[in-house]
Amino acid sequence: MTDEKSTLPNTVDFDHRSATFAEDPIPFYDTVLQRDSPPFSPHHEGFWVAARYADTVRIGRDPVTFSSEKDLDGTGRGPQFGGVLIPPWPVAPGVGELDGDEWVAFRRLIAPHLAPNVVEKLRPMISNYATSIMDRFIASGKADLVGEFTGPVPAIVTMEMMGLPLDNWPLWAKAMHAMLALAPGVPGFEEAFAELMRLSDNLLIGIGKRRAELADESEPSTQDMLSNFVTARIDGKPIPDEEVLAHLINVIVGGVDTTTSLTAHALLYLHRNHAAREMLRADPSKIPAACEEFLRYYSPAPAQARTLTADCTIGESAMKEGDRVLICWAASNRDPAAFPDPDEVKLDRSPNHHAAFGLGPHRCPGSHLARVEFEILLAEVLRRIPDYVIDESELQMYRDRGVANGVLSLPATFTPGAVIGKPLAL
Ligand code: HEM
């Protein structure tokens, strides 16, 4: 694909996994947004870049032409079906990397656990965790707000919602942040991947155990996600343990990293913008609208890929069956045709139809949980450590910001406060 296409007039030097991109993705987004048709990048064996809002809507909503499927060993549709990451993630496909009826079956197992009415009932649990986790450092007057707050709470909540052992949260959080913060080939990536495999092996054992525990129960007493998976039937057959594992890992990736990054970016923005911080502190009812703008502006999951199942022309770009295309949600969230003054953060922006959760059938089923977690985390900070100051000299972003736009650490100081919650045994 590369040789023939790298001579196209509409090529672009766009490598979303590079260190230059991670330093500052904005100029890359601006470059692709200036093109009338999706440009072609020769990196990673070649892919088209869809940046304009109208193009991401069109591609996101057409899963038949733009497939999410991953078939790494080529036994199905062919190895060019690399799933939703460029380059592909070398793990078995979860719900995000399936199409058609198979996707429908698994989405139906996951989505009910993340539905708005279910998530609303989780509020007290999430608030209690946020309070108890902050209790651990509030008296000291300093903390890494990512490592000690925005990381732990979503990780524990994800474990709880899924019915996984709660005391494993630090291992999963560490492995996921390391995997997503580093690009393949960068020092530390191999170790992070090996740790993820080790955790997966343990989870596989846990899946087997839960299946055995529930085998004798005609009406399962637990209704968490893991229990649902091991008791479910698809086409009358139970789901093999290895497949359950792949789907659970997909949910863990979604649940553990993105909300952490969103909240970390918001805390950094509010450190730099005191008036905005004071406005949200004085009136927390403004947090939900601000959350949407932080989602638009920082787009924690900046891009996902698709593979073409048929030829398709967008603008002047003639894409062929088997080509790969990167849907750049982060760029489309800065498209001036969809968002007036896109470079400005307007915390009361309305309307704000951002694409940060994706568009179309694969749109994020965890969006309600992410919003509620964000709201609770930010409100806790503004209520209990409102004068926090970030030490920007020690600030670290992810080394790879093409898959996850994350913050590695956010060292802060603040006026020490009182412990008010119940101690956590985790
Ligand atoms: C700020 C937080 C979040 C952001 C920005 C985000 C972003 C996204 C995006 C852009 C997609 C679409 C992928 C595609 O079209 O290929 C997606 C899918 C998904 N997300 Fe999220 N997500 C967030 C939180 C969560 C949470 C909390 C969970 C679960 C606990 C979750 C689980 C998933 C799953 C399972 C999918 C695959 C859905 C499918 O393909 O049908 N996400 N997410």
Side-chain angles (χ1 to χ4, degrees):
M1 183 155 72
T2 318
D3 292 348
E4 162 201 337
K5 296 223 170 81
S6 50
T7 54
L8 288 172
N10 192 16
T11 56
V12 67
D13 183 10
F14 185 99
D15 181 0
H16 57 305
R17 312 299 298 271
S18 67
T20 330
F21 183 93
E23 259 166 45
D24 186 6
I26 308 304
F28 287 85
Y29 298 148
D30 288 344
T31 303
V32 286
L33 277 169
Q34 278 157 17
R35 306 293 178 95
D36 289 332
S37 305
F40 184 79
S41 165
H43 294 279
H44 306 292
E45 298 181 20
F47 59 94
W48 300 95
V49 187
R52 295 196 169 191
Y53 190 79
D55 295 342
T56 59
V57 171
R58 172 168 175 191
I59 295 172
R61 289 188 180 157
D62 179 0
V64 174
T65 313
F66 298 93
S67 162
S68 293
E69 193 175 304
K70 183 160 70 186
D71 179 24
L72 290 180
D73 56 8
T75 49
R77 290 219 249 188
Q80 79 271 32
F81 281 78
V84 300
L85 295 190
I86 293 177
W89 227 33
V91 297
V95 66
E97 297 188 312
L98 296 177
D99 289 338
D101 291 347
E102 218 188 338
W103 168 77
V104 171
F106 285 103
R107 175 104 182 179
R108 279 192 186 143
L109 277 180
I110 291 168
H113 294 275
L114 298 164
N117 59 332
V118 174
V119 168
E120 273 310 308
K121 291 191 192 127
L122 301 181
R123 264 183 199 272
M125 177 266 278
I126 302 172
S127 288
N128 287 341
Y129 279 132
T131 300
S132 300
I133 292 284
M134 187 172 281
D135 280 349
R136 289 179 164 179
F137 59 76
I138 194 163
S140 73
K142 62 180 172 50
D144 166 11
L145 290 178
V146 169
E148 296 176 63
F149 189 60
T150 70
V153 180
I156 298 173
V157 170
T158 305
M159 299 291 120
E160 173 109 36
M161 179 271 296
M162 296 178 74
L164 304 182
L166 288 188
D167 45 7
N168 274 354
W169 76 261
L171 301 174
W172 280 108
K174 195 166 168 231
M176 284 303 171
H177 296 315
M179 274 293 293
L180 291 164
L182 300 169
V186 164
F189 180 83
E190 290 302 323
E191 290 82 346
F193 190 67
E195 175 62 5
L196 180 65
M197 291 300 104
R198 203 182 61 75
L199 286 171
S200 302
D201 289 346
N202 285 345
L203 179 52
L204 194 59
I205 297 170
I207 292 168
K209 275 193 191 152
R210 182 72 63 88
R211 197 186 289 282
E213 281 160 18
L214 296 180
D216 301 330
E217 297 184 20
S218 52
E219 197 62 35
S221 51
T222 20
Q223 298 293 339
D224 55 56
M225 196 181 281
L226 170 56
S227 304
N228 239 359
F229 262 96
V230 296
T231 51
R233 296 281 179 281
I234 292 184
D235 294 334
K237 295 188 207 114
I239 308 163
D241 287 359
E242 293 279 355
E243 260 184 74
V244 174
L245 177 70
H247 291 286
L248 295 184
I249 289 192
N250 194 156
V251 178
I252 296 174
V253 178
V256 166
D257 192 77
T258 40
T259 316
T260 300
S261 308
L262 172 68
T263 317
H265 278 294
L267 291 176
L268 182 58
Y269 175 85
L270 296 174
H271 153 75
R272 292 172 177 162
N273 295 274
H274 283 227
R277 186 191 323 196
E278 182 46 29
M279 180 191 82
L280 296 180
R281 192 202 61 75
D283 185 358
S285 72
K286 295 193 163 124
I287 292 179
C291 175
E292 299 312 306
E293 182 66 345
F294 289 130
L295 279 161
R296 181 193 74 83
Y297 193 77
Y298 294 108
S299 299
Q304 266 99 21
R306 300 289 189 262
T307 310
L308 272 90
T309 60
D311 295 356
C312 175
T313 297
I314 298 186
E316 305 272 301
S317 299
M319 306 175 180
K320 298 283 175 214
E321 182 180 342
D323 283 0
R324 301 274 282 152
V325 54
L326 188 75
I327 320 176
C328 199
W329 315 117
S332 76
N333 280 339
R334 308 179 80 94
D335 182 349
F339 303 97
D341 307 318
D343 298 331
E344 267 180 53
V345 174
K346 298 182 183 177
L347 295 184
D348 58 352
R349 186 181 286 273
S350 177
N352 192 351
H353 304 296
H354 63 74
F357 288 121
L359 294 162
H362 284 276
R363 188 181 177 281
C364 181
S367 61
H368 316 292
L369 179 58
R371 285 173 168 137
V372 168
E373 285 179 338
F374 174 86
E375 223 181 282
I376 291 172
L377 287 169
L378 187 57
E380 190 80 8
V381 168
L382 297 177
R383 182 168 69 98
R384 297 180 68 195
I385 52 168
D387 64 351
Y388 74 91
V389 176
I390 307 285
D391 177 359
E392 292 210 41
S393 67
E394 295 292 318
L395 178 69
Q396 282 184 58
M397 296 290 167
Y398 279 12
R399 152 61 186 83
D400 180 345
R401 289 167 75 192
V403 174
N405 179 18
V407 182
L408 212 48
S409 69
L410 209 55
T413 49
F414 42 81
T415 304
V419 170
I420 57 171
K422 290 195 189 126
L424 273 185
L426 299 171

